[in-house]
Amino acid sequence: MSFVEIDVFGVYVAPIVPMMLAAVLVTLAFRWVAVSVGLFRWVWHPALFEFSVFLIVLAAMVLTVGILKLNL
């Protein structure tokens, strides 16, 4: 996997930053669904669960982007 920096108005940003922002949005959407369904009633530590979901989503995004860049 090779990631390159992203040029944002002359400032180089690490490629993990946009992936982290996307992972936060996906996690917030998951949290909204989980609260409306009532999933957090069954979770022992909701903050730890939410952080774990964020890490899983972020890792999946990093692996997906890495694999797609290798196959292009």
Side-chain angles (χ1 to χ4, degrees):
M1 284 188 255
S2 66
F3 295 100
V4 295
E5 291 83 15
I6 301 167
D7 186 13
V8 179
F9 301 113
V11 177
Y12 288 110
V13 179
I16 192 78
V17 174
M19 286 187 265
M20 287 178 70
L21 292 175
V24 165
L25 293 176
V26 171
T27 304
L28 286 175
F30 173 77
R31 184 179 192 278
W32 180 74
V33 170
V35 166
S36 65
V37 170
L39 177 69
F40 280 119
R41 289 182 296 148
W42 301 97
V43 175
W44 170 69
H45 200 297
L48 184 62
F49 179 74
E50 191 172 346
F51 181 67
S52 301
V53 168
F54 169 75
L55 288 180
I56 291 168
V57 169
L58 181 62
M61 285 185 179
V62 169
L63 289 173
T64 303
V65 169
I67 289 172
L68 290 178
K69 286 196 176 204
L70 285 176
N71 290 334
L72 291 178

Coordinates of all heavy atoms in Angstrom, one line a residue:
M1 N 0.8 -1.2 0.0 CA 0.0 0.0 0.0 C 0.9 1.2 0.0 O 1.8 1.3 0.8 CB -0.9 0.0 1.3 CG -2.0 -0.9 1.2 SD -3.1 -0.6 2.6 CE -2.7 -2.0 3.6
S2 N 0.6 2.1 -0.9 CA 1.3 3.4 -0.9 C 0.3 4.5 -0.9 O -0.6 4.6 -1.8 CB 2.2 3.5 -2.1 OG 1.5 3.5 -3.3
F3 N 0.3 5.4 0.1 CA -0.5 6.5 0.2 C 0.3 7.8 -0.1 O 1.4 7.9 0.4 CB -1.2 6.6 1.6 CG -2.1 5.4 1.9 CD1 -1.7 4.4 2.6 CD2 -3.4 5.4 1.4 CE1 -2.5 3.3 2.9 CE2 -4.2 4.4 1.6 CZ -3.8 3.3 2.4
V4 N -0.3 8.7 -0.7 CA 0.4 10.0 -1.0 C -0.4 11.1 -0.3 O -1.6 11.0 -0.1 CB 0.5 10.3 -2.5 CG1 1.4 9.3 -3.2 CG2 -0.8 10.3 -3.1
E5 N 0.4 12.2 0.0 CA -0.3 13.3 0.6 C -1.3 14.0 -0.3 O -1.1 14.0 -1.5 CB 0.8 14.4 1.1 CG 1.7 13.9 2.2 CD 2.8 13.0 1.7 OE1 3.1 13.0 0.5 OE2 3.4 12.3 2.5
I6 N -2.2 14.7 0.3 CA -3.3 15.4 -0.4 C -3.0 16.9 -0.3 O -2.8 17.4 0.8 CB -4.7 15.0 0.1 CG1 -4.9 13.5 0.1 CG2 -5.8 15.8 -0.6 CD1 -6.1 13.0 0.9
D7 N -3.0 17.5 -1.4 CA -2.7 19.0 -1.5 C -4.0 19.7 -1.3 O -4.9 19.7 -2.1 CB -2.1 19.4 -2.8 CG -1.7 20.8 -2.8 OD1 -1.6 21.4 -1.8 OD2 -1.3 21.3 -3.9
V8 N -4.2 20.4 -0.2 CA -5.4 21.2 0.1 C -4.9 22.7 0.2 O -4.4 23.1 1.2 CB -6.0 20.8 1.5 CG1 -7.2 21.6 1.8 CG2 -6.4 19.3 1.4
F9 N -5.1 23.4 -0.9 CA -4.7 24.8 -1.0 C -3.3 25.1 -0.6 O -3.0 26.0 0.2 CB -5.7 25.7 -0.1 CG -7.1 25.6 -0.5 CD1 -8.0 25.0 0.4 CD2 -7.5 26.0 -1.7 CE1 -9.3 24.9 0.0 CE2 -8.9 25.9 -2.1 CZ -9.8 25.4 -1.2
G10 N -2.4 24.2 -1.0 CA -1.0 24.4 -0.8 C -0.5 23.7 0.5 O 0.7 23.8 0.8
V11 N -1.4 23.2 1.3 CA -1.0 22.5 2.5 C -1.1 21.0 2.3 O -2.2 20.5 1.9 CB -1.9 23.0 3.7 CG1 -1.5 22.2 5.0 CG2 -1.7 24.4 3.9
Y12 N -0.1 20.3 2.6 CA -0.1 18.8 2.4 C -0.7 18.2 3.6 O -0.3 18.4 4.8 CB 1.3 18.2 2.1 CG 1.8 18.6 0.8 CD1 2.9 19.5 0.6 CD2 1.2 18.0 -0.4 CE1 3.3 19.8 -0.6 CE2 1.7 18.3 -1.6 CZ 2.7 19.2 -1.8 OH 3.2 19.5 -3.0
V13 N -1.7 17.4 3.4 CA -2.5 16.7 4.5 C -2.2 15.2 4.4 O -2.3 14.7 3.2 CB -4.0 17.0 4.4 CG1 -4.7 16.4 5.5 CG2 -4.2 18.5 4.4
A14 N -2.0 14.6 5.5 CA -1.9 13.1 5.5 C -3.2 12.5 5.0 O -4.3 12.9 5.3 CB -1.6 12.6 6.9
P15 N -3.1 11.4 4.2 CA -4.3 10.7 3.7 C -5.2 10.1 4.7 O -6.4 9.8 4.4 CB -3.7 9.7 2.7 CG -2.3 9.4 3.2 CD -1.9 10.7 3.8
I16 N -4.7 10.0 6.0 CA -5.6 9.4 7.0 C -6.6 10.4 7.5 O -7.7 10.0 7.9 CB -4.7 8.9 8.2 CG1 -5.5 8.1 9.2 CG2 -4.1 10.1 8.9 CD1 -5.7 6.7 8.7
V17 N -6.4 11.7 7.3 CA -7.3 12.7 7.8 C -8.6 12.7 7.1 O -9.7 12.6 7.8 CB -6.6 14.1 7.7 CG1 -7.6 15.2 8.0 CG2 -5.4 14.2 8.5
P18 N -8.7 12.7 5.8 CA -10.1 12.5 5.2 C -10.7 11.2 5.5 O -12.0 11.1 5.6 CB -9.8 12.7 3.7 CG -8.4 12.9 3.5 CD -7.7 12.9 4.8
M19 N -9.9 10.2 5.6 CA -10.5 8.9 6.0 C -11.1 8.9 7.4 O -12.1 8.3 7.7 CB -9.5 7.8 5.8 CG -9.2 7.4 4.4 SD -8.2 6.0 4.2 CE -6.6 6.8 4.0
M20 N -10.4 9.6 8.3 CA -10.9 9.7 9.7 C -12.2 10.5 9.7 O -13.1 10.2 10.4 CB -9.9 10.4 10.6 CG -8.7 9.5 10.9 SD -7.5 10.3 11.9 CE -8.3 10.5 13.5
L21 N -12.3 11.6 8.9 CA -13.5 12.4 8.8 C -14.7 11.5 8.2 O -15.8 11.6 8.7 CB -13.3 13.6 8.0 CG -12.4 14.7 8.6 CD1 -12.1 15.8 7.6 CD2 -12.9 15.2 9.9
A22 N -14.4 10.8 7.2 CA -15.4 9.9 6.7 C -15.8 8.8 7.7 O -17.0 8.5 7.8 CB -14.9 9.2 5.4
A23 N -14.9 8.3 8.4 CA -15.2 7.3 9.5 C -16.0 7.9 10.6 O -16.9 7.2 11.1 CB -13.9 6.7 10.0
V24 N -15.8 9.1 10.9 CA -16.6 9.8 11.9 C -18.0 9.9 11.4 O -19.0 9.7 12.2 CB -16.0 11.2 12.3 CG1 -17.0 12.0 13.1 CG2 -14.8 11.0 13.1
L25 N -18.2 10.3 10.2 CA -19.6 10.4 9.6 C -20.3 9.1 9.6 O -21.5 9.0 9.9 CB -19.5 11.0 8.2 CG -19.0 12.5 8.2 CD1 -18.9 13.0 6.7 CD2 -20.0 13.4 9.0
V26 N -19.6 8.0 9.2 CA -20.2 6.7 9.2 C -20.6 6.3 10.6 O -21.6 5.7 10.8 CB -19.3 5.7 8.5 CG1 -19.8 4.3 8.6 CG2 -19.1 6.0 7.0
T27 N -19.7 6.5 11.5 CA -19.9 6.2 12.9 C -21.1 6.9 13.5 O -21.9 6.4 14.3 CB -18.7 6.4 13.8 OG1 -17.6 5.7 13.2 CG2 -18.9 5.9 15.2
L28 N -21.2 8.2 13.2 CA -22.4 9.0 13.6 C -23.7 8.4 13.1 O -24.7 8.4 13.8 CB -22.2 10.5 13.3 CG -21.2 11.2 14.1 CD1 -21.0 12.6 13.6 CD2 -21.6 11.3 15.6
A29 N -23.6 8.0 11.8 CA -24.8 7.4 11.2 C -25.2 6.1 11.9 O -26.3 5.8 12.1 CB -24.6 7.2 9.7
F30 N -24.1 5.3 12.1 CA -24.4 4.0 12.8 C -24.9 4.3 14.2 O -25.8 3.6 14.7 CB -23.1 3.2 12.9 CG -23.2 2.0 13.8 CD1 -23.8 0.9 13.3 CD2 -22.7 2.0 15.1 CE1 -24.0 -0.2 14.1 CE2 -22.8 0.9 15.9 CZ -23.5 -0.2 15.4
R31 N -24.4 5.3 14.9 CA -24.9 5.6 16.3 C -26.3 6.0 16.2 O -27.1 5.7 17.1 CB -24.0 6.8 16.9 CG -24.4 7.1 18.3 CD -23.5 8.2 18.8 NE -23.6 8.3 20.3 CZ -24.6 9.0 20.9 NH1 -25.5 9.6 20.1 NH2 -24.6 9.1 22.2
W32 N -26.7 6.8 15.2 CA -28.1 7.3 15.1 C -29.0 6.1 14.9 O -30.1 6.0 15.6 CB -28.3 8.3 14.0 CG -29.6 8.8 13.8 CD1 -30.3 9.7 14.6 CD2 -30.6 8.3 12.8 NE1 -31.6 9.8 14.1 CE2 -31.8 9.0 13.0 CE3 -30.5 7.4 11.7 CZ2 -32.9 8.9 12.2 CZ3 -31.6 7.3 10.9 CH2 -32.8 8.0 11.1
V33 N -28.6 5.1 14.1 CA -29.4 3.9 13.9 C -29.4 3.1 15.1 O -30.5 2.5 15.5 CB -28.9 3.1 12.7 CG1 -29.5 1.8 12.5 CG2 -29.1 3.9 11.4
A34 N -28.3 2.9 15.8 CA -28.2 2.1 17.0 C -29.1 2.6 18.1 O -29.8 1.9 18.8 CB -26.8 1.9 17.4
V35 N -29.1 4.0 18.3 CA -30.0 4.6 19.3 C -31.4 4.4 19.0 O -32.3 4.1 19.8 CB -29.6 6.1 19.5 CG1 -30.6 6.8 20.3 CG2 -28.2 6.2 20.2
S36 N -31.8 4.6 17.7 CA -33.2 4.5 17.3 C -33.7 3.0 17.4 O -34.9 2.8 17.7 CB -33.4 5.0 15.9 OG -32.7 4.3 15.0
V37 N -32.8 2.1 17.2 CA -33.2 0.7 17.3 C -33.2 0.2 18.7 O -33.9 -0.8 19.1 CB -32.3 -0.2 16.4 CG1 -32.5 -1.7 16.6 CG2 -32.5 0.1 14.9
G38 N -32.4 0.8 19.6 CA -32.3 0.4 21.0 C -31.1 -0.5 21.2 O -31.1 -1.3 22.2
L39 N -30.1 -0.5 20.4 CA -28.9 -1.4 20.6 C -28.1 -1.0 21.8 O -27.5 -1.9 22.4 CB -28.0 -1.3 19.3 CG -26.7 -2.1 19.3 CD1 -27.1 -3.6 19.3 CD2 -25.9 -1.7 18.2
F40 N -28.1 0.3 22.2 CA -27.2 0.7 23.3 C -27.8 0.2 24.6 O -27.1 0.3 25.6 CB -27.1 2.2 23.3 CG -26.0 2.7 22.3 CD1 -26.4 3.5 21.3 CD2 -24.7 2.3 22.4 CE1 -25.4 4.0 20.4 CE2 -23.7 2.7 21.6 CZ -24.1 3.6 20.5
R41 N -29.0 -0.3 24.7 CA -29.5 -0.9 25.9 C -28.7 -2.2 26.3 O -28.6 -2.6 27.4 CB -31.0 -1.2 25.8 CG -31.9 0.0 25.8 CD -33.3 -0.4 25.7 NE -33.6 -1.1 24.4 CZ -34.4 -2.1 24.3 NH1 -35.2 -2.5 25.3 NH2 -34.6 -2.6 23.1
W42 N -28.2 -2.8 25.2 CA -27.5 -4.1 25.4 C -26.0 -4.0 25.6 O -25.3 -5.0 25.7 CB -27.8 -5.1 24.3 CG -29.3 -5.3 24.2 CD1 -30.2 -4.7 23.3 CD2 -30.1 -6.2 24.9 NE1 -31.4 -5.2 23.5 CE2 -31.4 -6.1 24.5 CE3 -29.8 -7.1 25.9 CZ2 -32.4 -6.9 25.0 CZ3 -30.8 -7.9 26.5 CH2 -32.1 -7.8 26.0
V43 N -25.5 -2.7 25.4 CA -24.1 -2.5 25.5 C -23.6 -2.1 26.9 O -24.3 -1.3 27.5 CB -23.7 -1.4 24.4 CG1 -22.2 -1.0 24.5 CG2 -24.1 -1.8 23.0
W44 N -22.6 -2.7 27.3 CA -22.1 -2.5 28.7 C -21.5 -1.1 28.8 O -21.8 -0.3 29.8 CB -21.0 -3.5 29.1 CG -20.3 -3.2 30.4 CD1 -20.8 -3.2 31.6 CD2 -19.0 -2.8 30.5 NE1 -19.9 -2.8 32.5 CE2 -18.7 -2.6 31.9 CE3 -17.9 -2.6 29.6 CZ2 -17.5 -2.2 32.3 CZ3 -16.7 -2.2 30.1 CH2 -16.5 -2.0 31.4
H45 N -20.7 -0.7 27.9 CA -20.0 0.6 27.9 C -20.2 1.3 26.5 O -19.4 1.1 25.6 CB -18.5 0.4 28.2 CG -17.8 1.6 28.7 ND1 -17.6 2.7 28.0 CD2 -17.2 1.8 29.9 CE1 -16.9 3.6 28.7 NE2 -16.6 3.1 29.9
P46 N -21.2 2.2 26.4 CA -21.5 2.7 25.1 C -20.4 3.6 24.5 O -20.2 3.5 23.3 CB -22.7 3.7 25.4 CG -23.3 3.1 26.6 CD -22.2 2.5 27.4
A47 N -19.6 4.3 25.3 CA -18.5 5.1 24.7 C -17.4 4.2 24.1 O -16.9 4.4 23.0 CB -17.9 6.0 25.7
L48 N -17.1 3.1 24.8 CA -16.1 2.2 24.4 C -16.6 1.5 23.1 O -15.8 1.2 22.2 CB -15.7 1.2 25.5 CG -14.7 0.2 25.2 CD1 -13.3 0.9 25.0 CD2 -14.5 -0.8 26.4
F49 N -17.8 1.1 23.1 CA -18.4 0.5 21.9 C -18.4 1.4 20.7 O -18.0 0.9 19.6 CB -19.9 0.0 22.2 CG -20.6 -0.6 21.1 CD1 -20.3 -1.9 20.8 CD2 -21.5 0.1 20.4 CE1 -20.9 -2.5 19.7 CE2 -22.2 -0.5 19.3 CZ -21.9 -1.8 19.0
E50 N -18.7 2.6 20.9 CA -18.7 3.6 19.8 C -17.3 3.8 19.3 O -17.1 3.9 18.1 CB -19.3 4.9 20.3 CG -19.6 5.8 19.1 CD -20.4 7.1 19.6 OE1 -21.0 7.0 20.7 OE2 -20.4 8.0 18.8
F51 N -16.3 3.9 20.2 CA -14.9 4.1 19.8 C -14.5 2.8 19.0 O -13.7 3.0 18.0 CB -14.1 4.3 21.0 CG -12.6 4.5 20.6 CD1 -12.2 5.6 19.9 CD2 -11.7 3.6 21.0 CE1 -10.9 5.8 19.6 CE2 -10.3 3.8 20.7 CZ -9.9 4.9 20.0
S52 N -14.9 1.7 19.4 CA -14.5 0.4 18.7 C -15.1 0.4 17.3 O -14.4 0.0 16.4 CB -14.9 -0.8 19.5 OG -14.4 -0.8 20.8
V53 N -16.3 0.8 17.2 CA -16.9 0.9 15.9 C -16.2 1.8 15.0 O -16.0 1.6 13.8 CB -18.4 1.2 16.0 CG1 -19.0 1.5 14.7 CG2 -19.2 0.1 16.7
F54 N -15.8 3.0 15.6 CA -15.0 4.0 14.8 C -13.7 3.4 14.3 O -13.4 3.5 13.1 CB -14.7 5.2 15.6 CG -13.7 6.1 15.0 CD1 -14.1 6.9 14.0 CD2 -12.4 6.2 15.5 CE1 -13.1 7.8 13.4 CE2 -11.5 7.0 15.0 CZ -11.9 7.8 13.9
L55 N -13.0 2.6 15.2 CA -11.7 2.0 14.7 C -11.9 0.9 13.7 O -11.1 0.8 12.7 CB -11.0 1.4 16.0 CG -10.4 2.4 16.9 CD1 -9.7 1.7 18.1 CD2 -9.4 3.3 16.2
I56 N -13.0 0.2 13.8 CA -13.3 -0.9 12.8 C -13.6 -0.2 11.4 O -13.1 -0.7 10.4 CB -14.4 -1.8 13.3 CG1 -14.0 -2.6 14.5 CG2 -15.0 -2.6 12.2 CD1 -15.1 -3.3 15.2
V57 N -14.4 0.8 11.5 CA -14.8 1.5 10.2 C -13.5 2.2 9.6 O -13.3 2.1 8.4 CB -15.9 2.6 10.5 CG1 -16.1 3.5 9.3 CG2 -17.2 1.9 10.8
L58 N -12.7 2.8 10.4 CA -11.5 3.4 9.9 C -10.5 2.4 9.3 O -10.0 2.6 8.2 CB -10.8 4.2 11.0 CG -9.5 4.9 10.6 CD1 -9.8 6.0 9.5 CD2 -8.9 5.6 11.8
A59 N -10.3 1.3 10.0 CA -9.5 0.2 9.5 C -10.0 -0.4 8.2 O -9.2 -0.6 7.2 CB -9.3 -0.9 10.5
A60 N -11.3 -0.5 8.1 CA -11.9 -1.0 6.8 C -11.7 0.0 5.7 O -11.4 -0.4 4.6 CB -13.4 -1.3 7.0
M61 N -11.8 1.3 6.0 CA -11.6 2.3 4.9 C -10.1 2.3 4.5 O -9.8 2.4 3.3 CB -12.0 3.6 5.4 CG -13.4 3.9 5.5 SD -13.8 5.6 6.0 CE -15.5 5.6 5.9
V62 N -9.2 2.2 5.4 CA -7.8 2.2 5.1 C -7.4 1.0 4.2 O -6.7 1.1 3.2 CB -6.9 2.3 6.3 CG1 -5.4 2.1 6.0 CG2 -7.1 3.7 7.0
L63 N -7.9 -0.1 4.6 CA -7.6 -1.4 3.8 C -8.3 -1.3 2.5 O -7.7 -1.7 1.5 CB -8.1 -2.6 4.6 CG -7.3 -2.9 5.8 CD1 -7.9 -4.1 6.6 CD2 -5.8 -3.3 5.5
T64 N -9.5 -0.8 2.4 CA -10.2 -0.7 1.1 C -9.5 0.2 0.2 O -9.3 -0.1 -1.0 CB -11.6 -0.3 1.3 OG1 -12.3 -1.2 2.2 CG2 -12.4 -0.2 0.0
V65 N -9.1 1.4 0.7 CA -8.4 2.4 -0.2 C -7.0 1.8 -0.6 O -6.6 2.0 -1.8 CB -8.2 3.7 0.6 CG1 -7.3 4.6 -0.2 CG2 -9.6 4.4 0.7
G66 N -6.4 1.1 0.3 CA -5.1 0.5 -0.1 C -5.2 -0.5 -1.1 O -4.4 -0.6 -2.0
I67 N -6.2 -1.4 -1.0 CA -6.4 -2.4 -2.0 C -6.8 -1.8 -3.4 O -6.3 -2.3 -4.4 CB -7.4 -3.4 -1.5 CG1 -6.8 -4.3 -0.3 CG2 -7.9 -4.4 -2.6 CD1 -7.8 -5.1 0.4
L68 N -7.7 -0.9 -3.3 CA -8.1 -0.3 -4.6 C -7.0 0.4 -5.3 O -6.9 0.4 -6.5 CB -9.3 0.7 -4.4 CG -10.6 0.1 -4.0 CD1 -11.6 1.2 -3.7 CD2 -11.1 -0.9 -5.0
K69 N -6.1 1.1 -4.6 CA -4.9 1.7 -5.2 C -3.9 0.7 -5.8 O -3.3 1.0 -6.8 CB -4.2 2.7 -4.2 CG -5.0 3.9 -3.9 CD -4.2 4.9 -3.3 CE -5.0 6.2 -3.1 NZ -4.2 7.4 -3.0
L70 N -3.8 -0.4 -5.2 CA -2.9 -1.4 -5.7 C -3.4 -2.0 -7.0 O -2.7 -2.4 -7.9 CB -2.7 -2.6 -4.7 CG -1.8 -2.2 -3.5 CD1 -1.7 -3.4 -2.6 CD2 -0.4 -1.9 -4.0
N71 N -4.8 -2.1 -7.2 CA -5.3 -2.7 -8.4 C -5.5 -1.8 -9.5 O -5.9 -2.2 -10.6 CB -6.7 -3.4 -8.0 CG -6.5 -4.6 -7.1 OD1 -5.4 -5.2 -7.2 ND2 -7.4 -4.9 -6.3
L72 N -5.4 -0.5 -9.3 CA -5.6 0.5 -10.4 C -4.4 0.5 -11.4 O -3.4 0.2 -11.2 CB -5.8 1.9 -9.8 CG -7.1 2.0 -9.1 CD1 -7.2 3.4 -8.5 CD2 -8.3 1.8 -10.0

